[in-house]
């Protein structure tokens, strides 16, 4: 893939794939204790009695992991991931202790700004587990600077 540095370097259909991360029981419980302290994220026995039928990561933990993987993938080259919001955020399958996650993204929207030297980029990201099951999807509304005009 060509080096991405500016809005103009992106094209519809361009794809990205991250490395992987393994989610541990400790990670799930630590995140939940701080940010989403519900029993099915914190206690194995309590989780067995829920719709999840076992310990499951908080959806927000899954979102944070996916974001970290996206940042490491650097879809906007040297530019930070700055955006207006997120479309299409969905949790599809619970993330369990031992799951190995990765993300794949596809550029689905490119809109140059009419008033600023930047463009809006939509990349649909899907997080998968080691079995190829989609666990989470989101489409951030990102901003990428345009190539500077030569003098």
């Amino acid at each position: 893939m060509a080096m991405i540095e500016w809005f103009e370097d992106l094209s519809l259909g361009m794809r990205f794939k991250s490395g992987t991360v393994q989610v541990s029981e400790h990670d799930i419980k630590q995140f939940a204790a701080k940010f989403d302290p519900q029993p099915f994220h914190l206690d194995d026995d309590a989780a067995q009695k829920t719709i999840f039928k076992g310990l499951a990561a908080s959806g927000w933990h899954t979102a944070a992991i996916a974001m970290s993987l996206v940042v490491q993938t650097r879809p906007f080259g040297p530019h930070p991931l700055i955006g207006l919001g997120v479309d299409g955020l969905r949790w599809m399958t619970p993330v369990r202790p031992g799951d190995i996650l990765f993300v794949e993204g596809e550029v689905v929207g490119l809109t140059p700004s009419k008033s600023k030297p930047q463009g809006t980029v939509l990349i649909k990201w899907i997080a998968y587990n080691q079995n190829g099951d989609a666990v989470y999807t989101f489409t951030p509304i990102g901003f990428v600077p345009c190539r500077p005009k030569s003098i």
Side-chain angles (χ1 to χ4, degrees):
M1 179 184 306
M3 171 64 174
I4 297 165
E5 192 169 357
W6 307 105
F7 175 77
E8 294 82 0
D9 298 327
L10 295 159
S11 61
L12 288 175
M14 185 176 277
R15 299 185 66 79
F16 304 93
K17 185 174 180 179
S18 75
T20 62
V21 65
Q22 186 165 22
V23 183
S24 72
E25 180 175 340
H26 174 77
D27 295 336
I28 290 170
K29 290 179 177 180
Q30 186 177 37
F31 183 96
K34 191 165 185 178
F35 299 108
D36 192 355
Q38 299 186 73
F40 50 89
H41 300 317
L42 292 166
D43 181 87
D44 302 309
D45 292 331
Q48 288 296 329
K49 299 175 184 133
T50 69
I51 185 175
F52 296 110
K53 304 288 186 228
L55 195 70
S58 165
W60 296 112
H61 187 188
T62 302
I65 291 168
M67 183 64 193
S68 176
L69 290 168
V70 168
V71 169
Q72 292 169 41
T73 303
R74 304 190 59 82
F76 301 156
H79 304 291
L81 301 178
I82 297 174
L84 181 62
V86 176
D87 290 337
L89 187 147
R90 299 285 182 271
W91 293 283
M92 290 104 85
T93 304
V95 171
R96 308 289 187 167
D99 277 356
I100 299 170
L101 304 182
F102 66 94
V103 295
E104 291 184 348
E106 180 180 354
V107 177
V108 296
L110 292 169
T111 308
S113 172
K114 294 178 182 171
S115 61
K116 298 177 183 169
Q118 67 186 30
T120 301
V121 180
L122 301 177
I123 300 178
K124 181 178 182 179
W125 294 97
I126 302 174
Y128 296 94
N129 65 19
Q130 69 281 357
N131 300 318
D133 300 323
V135 299
Y136 173 69
T137 187
F138 65 116
T139 305
I141 306 161
F143 298 111
V144 179
C146 289
R147 183 172 279 107
K149 305 268 189 233
S150 54
I151 300 175

